[in-house]
Each structure stands twice: as C-alpha cells, then as structure tokens.
C-alpha cells in the first residue's frame, strides 16, 4: 500500500450536533485505496440510530437555532468564511481526494477552489435574490414569502466527492435549511474535512450534520426519516428510482441528478483539432468517472476515418499511472467492484464493435484498478456500450450521414444529461442543440460550468433542475401571502337579500 496523506484521523467519524462521533452501534467499515485495493482507514458505519440522532440535531437547530432566522447577509458572511476555510484546504484536499478516489493529482487540485466558489455564489445569491409581489392597486397585494423547507438530506456519489458535496451543501445551507450529508461509502475520507471547516467558519452546531455508511442502511434511513423534508440526490439512475419510490409515502421534495450517456456530435465543418482535444478530454479526464462524459462520439461520415485515426493515435498515448504522479492523465478507478464493472463492459464491447485502442489493464500496472483508455469504433446504436452508462475510460464512436441521422442517434438512449455539438454553422449549431433531448448542451466547448445556468438532466438523467436560483427553490417553500388593501367584499352567506354587486364566488381576480 502507498502511504496515506499525513494527519488523517484513525477513524472517519460522523459529525452530529457540532461534534465528531462514532456510530451508535460502534460499527465501522473498511475504506480501500484504489492502487492496491488495501484498507487504509476505517469509517463509521451509520444506520437508522445515527440518522435519528442527526435528524434530531438538525431539527432542533432548525426550530430553535439562529440559522433559518438570520438576515441573508449574516448567513452569507458565514458562508463566505466556509469558502475561505475550504480554499485553505486546497493542497490537503487534493492529496486526500487523489489518494482515496484515484483521481490524478493534477485533476484533483483545484477541486477546493470550485467547492469554495459554490459557497460564495449561493451566499451572493441569497443577498441579491428578489421575490415577486403582485399588485392590484387599492384592492389587494399578493407577495411571495420564501421559507427554508427544514431539514434537508443530501446524498452524494463518489466521483469528485468533495466538490459534489459542496454543490448540495452550499444552496441548502444558504437557503436556511439545516442539513444531513450522507457521503458515498467508496470515498468518505475527504468529507471529514467538512466538520473542521464548518466549525472554524462559525456555522452553529446542528446546522451541518453528516452520517457515513452504506446506501442501503444510512442512505435508506435518511430518505425514509419523517423529519427530513427534502432529499437531494446525485448518483445512479437505478438508485434514483429506489429513492423516488421511498420518498413517495412522505411526499418529500426531491432533486435528482442521475446518470448519463452524453453524445458529442462532430460535424464535417467543425474545428477538427478543437473537437479532437475536447472529445478526448471529455471522456478520459477524471478517469472517465464523470456524469457529463462525452462517452458517445458521433462523427459525420465524410470526416469519420480521419477523425478515428487521429483520436485512436492520441488515446493510445494517454498516460496511465499512479494518481500521485503529476504526469498521469488517467489513474486508478475508484474501487475494485467498479473496475470489474468497467472491464465487463469492455469485454461486451469486444463482441459488439471494433476495439481500436486500449481494451484492458496496462501491462506495466499489474495491480490496482487501472484501465487503458479504451476506444470502440463503428459502434451500432443497439450495442450495450452505446446505450448504457459505463462511467469509466471507455468511448463509443459511431458514424452518421446527415443531421437527421445524427439527431436520431443522439436521442436514442434512455439518458438525457449533456450533449456537445461541434460545427461552425451557427444556424445548425443552435437548431440542432435545441432538438437534442438533454438538460445541457455545449456548442464548440467541453463542459465549462456557469453556476447561474440550469444544471440537470431530462429522461433517465434526472428530475428537477438546479443551478442559480433554481437550487434555492429545491430547499425553499414559496408561500403566497394575499393582503386586502381596500374594503372587504364577501358574498354574504346567511344574510338576507343578495345585492346585485355581490362578487359571487369569483372574488376580485387579476
Ligand atoms: P450510487 O447511486 O451507487 O450512490 C450514490 C449515493 O447514493 C451513495 O452515497 C450511496 O450510498 C447512496 N445510496 C445507494 N443506495 C441508496 C438507497 N437505497 N437509499 C439511499 N441512498 C442510497 O452512485 P455512485 O456509483 O456513487 O455514483 C456514480 C453515478 O452518479 C453515475 O451514474 C453518475 O452518472 C452519477 N452522477 C450524476 C451526476 C449528475 O449531476 N447528474 C453527477 C455525478 C455523478
């Protein structure tokens, strides 16, 4: 086993009511590092009893504590301090994240900056946001009273875990909710930093709580807890379906960011080199463990052979190596079970299409979850490697004749998260993008986020959209308050003699 980053606690604990604590049961589980699959730390394994304790702390902080009652500016100041503390952790976080999840160190660094930016963004937003008022001069004014929903349950995946956690924590806390975070069991280590960060930033006890553990125990208990009013989930579509069903009896608010099989569509008039760079980066960065990965590349027939040749040559040169090596471009997949799943898909792909690069473990790396950058070409749309999310460094390339066929291929999957369109014809770029069934489209660009825009998927890729003010709406109720300004006109039930001026049942509509 390689040496873990210095300064880690012996056991990763829960954080409940402002304190690090063990599980009520005392249970822990093994956390493995992906280059040797050996255990390097223990993590508290939560269940319903720990979720009960966290829910009690969060509920008390919501009902009796200052957090939901603060002026937006006061809360924003604390969130800014959270951002500052996160930023100070940059190097430490990168080292932990890279060691724990197998991300190449160069790609892990900068995650703290992105996480900090999420807190600053939502802090700014709650100060600037305005709510609607609707006026009927002299008669009535109706306005929106935005209120935090209460206790929010946040369930996150193992890919770029700390950044994903910040993407939920920041809007939930900014809205005035108190929270219970359930980090992914494959990658719990960096989440322990949140306890320290929240404490140093002066977040009141009970506002931020965290319960570690498996999805089927800790996650399930959180989803089913009656005091948790909203569940924000990011993970696999099948898990999302289970959570959706489990939220139904409680009528909980849900936000779901799920899987993807996003197309990159390269037309013959595209900037060839830019499309090449971007489509390589889009699927092989972050070890291919990226929800918005361009895992299907659709290329116009007239440039197909040239594109495939150039793509395969570059993919063969992608440097696979240790996560800690700054020259590594593709490192170890998060967990041996995920590695096996990706390898299975590669074997399936060999029976469905032509393998043009990679296809297995690199010879020089006999242990750990390493997979070569793998390229399948001439992939038919019926292939499982075309249809199903692999979530690893595996890409399917397919030719198309014209725009109509490109659109059919792009939309012919159950997912609809992201899409990338490469063309220099502005009219085609926009019309084509608007016809794609996906929550997000990037034209002549890889995935460059703007925190103000909607983020989320359609079809099997998600429910509800976050991003900008939409994220705040997940965690807020919008109460309509109606106020009569003039005389009260009510149809006088039980009174003698209706007058001709009675408003009837309609009332004074807009
Ligand atoms: P996963 O669904 O296996 O697990 C996600 C989280 O859900 C984990 O914390 C897990 O413990 C928990 N969980 C599992 N079963 C549960 C249950 N029954 N009840 C409550 N919680 C439960 O997903 P993963 O393998 O960790 O992450 C990879 C997936 O996440 C991929 O499909 C990827 O596309 C998706 N993802 C989507 C986005 C997006 O924004 N759309 C972003 C990142 C990842």
């Amino acid at each position: 086993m390689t040496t873990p980053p210095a300064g880690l606690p012996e056991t990763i604990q829960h954080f409940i009511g402002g304190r690090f604590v063990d599980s009520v049961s005392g249970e822990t589980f093994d956390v493995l590092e992906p280059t040797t699959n050996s255990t390097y730390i223990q993590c508290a394994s939560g269940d319903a009893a720990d979720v009960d304790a966290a829910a009690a702390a969060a509920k008390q902080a919501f009902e009796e504590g200052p957090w939901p009652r603060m002026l937006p500016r006061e809360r924003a100041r604390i969130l800014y301090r959270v951002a500052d503390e996160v930023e100070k952790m940059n190097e430490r976080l990168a080292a932990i994240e890279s060691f724990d999840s197998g991300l190449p160190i160069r790609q892990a660094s900068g995650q703290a900056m992105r996480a900090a930016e999420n807190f600053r963004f939502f802090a700014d937003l709650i100060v600037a946001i305005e709510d609607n008022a609707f006026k009927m001069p002299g008669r009535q004014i109706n306005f929106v009273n935005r209120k935090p929903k209460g206790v929010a349950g946040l369930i996150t995946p193992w890919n770029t875990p700390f950044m994903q956690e910040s993407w939920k924590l920041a809007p939930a806390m900014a809205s005035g909710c108190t929270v219970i975070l359930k980090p992914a069991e494959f990658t719990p280590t960096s989440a322990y930093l949140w306890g320290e960060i929240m404490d140093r930033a002066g977040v009141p006890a009970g506002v931020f709580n965290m319960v570690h553990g498996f999805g089927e125990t800790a996650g399930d208990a959180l989803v089913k807890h009656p005091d948790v009013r909203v569940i924000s989930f990011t993970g696999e579509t099948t898990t999302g379906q289970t959570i959706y069903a489990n939220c139904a009896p409680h009528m909980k608010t849900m936000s779901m960011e799920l899987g993807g099989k996003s197309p990159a569509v390269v037309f013959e008039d595209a900037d060839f080199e830019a499309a090449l760079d971007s489509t390589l980066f889009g699927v092989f960065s972050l070890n291919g463990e990226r929800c918005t990965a361009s895992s299907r590349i659709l290329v116009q027939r007239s440039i197909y052979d040239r594109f495939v040749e150039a793509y395969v040559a570059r993919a063969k040169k992608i440097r696979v190596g240790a996560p800690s090596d700054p020259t590594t471009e593709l490192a170890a997949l998060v967990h041996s079970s995920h590695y096996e799943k990706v390898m299975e898909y590669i074997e399936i792909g060999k029976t469905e299409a032509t393998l043009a690069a990679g296809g297995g473990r690199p010879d020089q790396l006999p242990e750990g979850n390493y997979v070569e950058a793998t390229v399948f070409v001439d992939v038919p749309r019926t292939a499982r490697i075309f249809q199903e999310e692999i979530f690893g460094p595996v890409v399917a390339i397919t030719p198309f004749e014209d725009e109509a066929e490109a659109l059919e291929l792009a939309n012919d999957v159950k997912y609809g998260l992201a899409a990338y369109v490469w063309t220099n014809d502005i009219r085609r770029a926009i019309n084509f993008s608007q016809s794609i069934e996906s929550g997000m489209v990037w034209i002549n660009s890889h995935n460059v986020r703007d925190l103000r825009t909607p983020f989320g998927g359609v079809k099997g890729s998600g429910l509800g959209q976050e991003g900008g003010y939409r994220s705040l709406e997940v965690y807020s109720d919008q109460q309509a308050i109606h106020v009569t300004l003039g005389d009260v006109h009510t149809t006088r039930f039980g009174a003698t003699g209706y007058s001709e001026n009675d408003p009837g049942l309609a009332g004074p509509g807009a």
Side-chain angles (χ1 to χ4, degrees):
M1 184 177 79
T2 45
T3 316
L8 292 179
E10 243 170 57
T11 303
I12 306 294
Q13 293 174 295
H14 310 306
F15 191 82
I16 298 178
R19 289 189 315 122
F20 283 106
V21 292
D22 289 327
S23 288
V24 173
S25 66
E27 291 289 313
T28 60
F29 63 88
D30 294 342
V31 185
L32 314 180
E33 62 87 18
T35 65
T36 61
N37 289 311
S38 45
T39 303
Y40 76 95
I41 202 164
Q42 290 294 306
C43 180
S45 184
D47 60 24
D50 306 290
V51 170
D52 278 348
K59 189 176 178 200
Q60 190 182 12
F62 187 76
E63 289 180 352
E64 298 165 28
W67 193 251
R69 282 162 274 279
M70 278 180 184
L71 293 176
R73 173 63 76 197
E74 281 179 285
R75 214 159 48 227
R77 277 202 195 102
I78 298 179
L79 295 172
Y80 259 81
R81 292 209 294 269
V82 171
D84 293 343
E85 292 298 328
V86 167
E87 235 170 47
K88 284 184 207 159
M89 300 271 182
N90 190 26
E91 270 180 42
R92 180 160 172 65
L93 174 69
I96 295 175
E97 210 75 311
S98 170
F99 187 85
D100 188 42
S101 72
L103 267 190
I105 186 72
R106 283 186 73 146
Q107 297 170 37
S109 64
Q111 294 287 316
M113 303 305 176
R114 284 195 61 188
E117 217 31 53
N118 286 336
F119 279 93
R120 294 203 183 97
F121 176 81
F122 288 107
D124 289 342
L125 201 56
I126 54 168
V127 174
I129 200 159
E130 41 186 81
D131 286 316
N132 292 329
F134 306 92
K135 287 169 270 181
M136 283 179 281
R139 299 176 80 177
Q140 203 174 39
I141 183 161
N142 309 322
F143 64 91
V144 175
N145 174 36
R146 183 186 294 268
K147 299 199 287 189
K149 276 190 185 286
V151 179
L154 315 176
I155 303 178
T156 49
W158 47 256
N159 62 319
T160 55
F162 190 85
M163 209 285 294
Q164 297 278 354
E165 290 151 12
S166 73
W167 174 240
K168 295 195 187 301
L169 287 170
M173 289 171 60
S175 302
C177 287
T178 58
V179 305
I180 305 170
L181 171 68
K182 209 302 277 168
E185 57 269 43
F186 283 177
T187 54
T189 306
S190 57
Y192 101 90
L193 297 173
W194 288 120
E196 287 180 9
I197 289 166
M198 299 294 173
D199 196 41
R200 283 192 210 144
V203 173
V207 171
F208 167 78
N209 304 277
M210 174 168 66
V211 176
H212 287 285
F214 296 100
E216 298 72 19
T217 47
D220 186 64
L222 185 57
V223 169
K224 293 177 179 164
H225 200 288
D227 291 336
V228 176
R229 285 246 3 246
V230 44
I231 293 290
S232 177
F233 168 74
T234 299
E236 278 190 22
T237 301
T238 49
T239 316
Q241 287 165 329
T242 305
I243 291 178
Y244 196 172
N246 289 338
C247 282
H250 305 274
M251 295 296 286
K252 294 191 184 199
T253 300
M254 277 177 308
S255 168
M256 301 230 160
E257 299 186 345
L258 307 176
K261 192 74 183 178
S262 303
V265 184
V266 185
F267 286 99
E268 60 191 359
D269 65 334
D271 179 337
F272 189 89
E273 289 301 323
L276 192 62
D277 288 345
S278 174
T279 49
L280 282 154
F281 180 81
V283 71
F284 297 119
S285 59
L286 307 181
N287 295 341
E289 299 163 328
R290 181 197 264 278
C291 56
T292 52
S294 49
S295 51
R296 294 183 297 144
I297 309 178
L298 312 176
V299 186
Q300 195 150 22
R301 178 78 70 187
S302 49
I303 58 163
Y304 184 73
D305 289 345
R306 183 174 154 231
F307 185 89
V308 164
E309 193 186 332
Y311 195 93
V312 168
R314 289 273 294 277
K316 284 181 175 167
K317 287 198 223 144
I318 288 176
R319 288 183 291 276
V320 187
S324 56
D325 180 344
T327 65
T328 292
E329 292 173 316
L330 174 56
L333 302 191
V334 68
H335 194 270
S336 58
S337 64
H338 185 57
Y339 169 82
E340 273 152 30
K341 175 186 143 181
V342 172
M343 284 301 204
E344 248 171 65
Y345 270 111
I346 291 176
E347 291 312 311
I348 292 167
K350 288 176 187 171
T351 68
E352 296 180 320
T354 306
L355 177 68
R361 170 189 287 285
D363 294 338
Q364 76 281 15
L365 294 162
E367 67 167 354
N369 308 323
Y370 294 102
V371 181
E372 294 171 306
T374 297
V375 183
F376 287 101
V377 300
D378 304 339
V379 181
R381 72 167 83 182
T382 49
R384 286 183 62 190
I385 59 164
F386 187 94
Q387 293 290 335
E388 297 174 23
E389 184 183 45
I390 301 173
F391 217 56
V394 182
V395 69
I397 308 186
T398 303
F400 67 85
E401 296 297 337
D402 54 18
E403 223 172 289
E405 193 188 4
L407 189 62
E408 247 184 67
L409 286 168
N411 288 342
D412 190 19
V413 292
K414 73 173 180 181
Y415 296 107
L417 189 57
Y420 306 85
V421 178
W422 289 89
T423 174
N424 279 317
D425 177 338
I426 182 75
R427 215 181 323 181
R428 169 157 68 189
I430 293 175
N431 287 327
F432 189 85
S433 299
Q434 289 180 340
S435 305
I436 290 187
E437 295 165 354
S438 71
M440 299 168 282
V441 183
W442 277 271
I443 298 174
N444 296 333
S445 166
H446 62 268
N447 169 350
V448 181
R449 280 299 312 284
D450 177 335
L451 296 179
R452 298 165 297 183
T453 58
F455 186 91
V458 298
K459 304 201 293 192
S461 291
L463 272 186
Q465 232 102 36
E466 298 210 23
Y469 66 86
R470 298 164 202 83
S471 298
L472 299 182
E473 286 176 4
V474 171
Y475 302 103
S476 314
D477 285 324
Q478 297 202 28
Q479 181 183 39
I481 299 203
H482 308 84
V483 188
T484 295
L485 298 179
D487 295 336
V488 182
H489 296 284
T490 312
T491 298
R492 303 187 61 232
F493 275 29
T496 46
Y498 279 85
S499 103
E500 276 180 10
N501 297 329
D502 265 344
L505 292 180

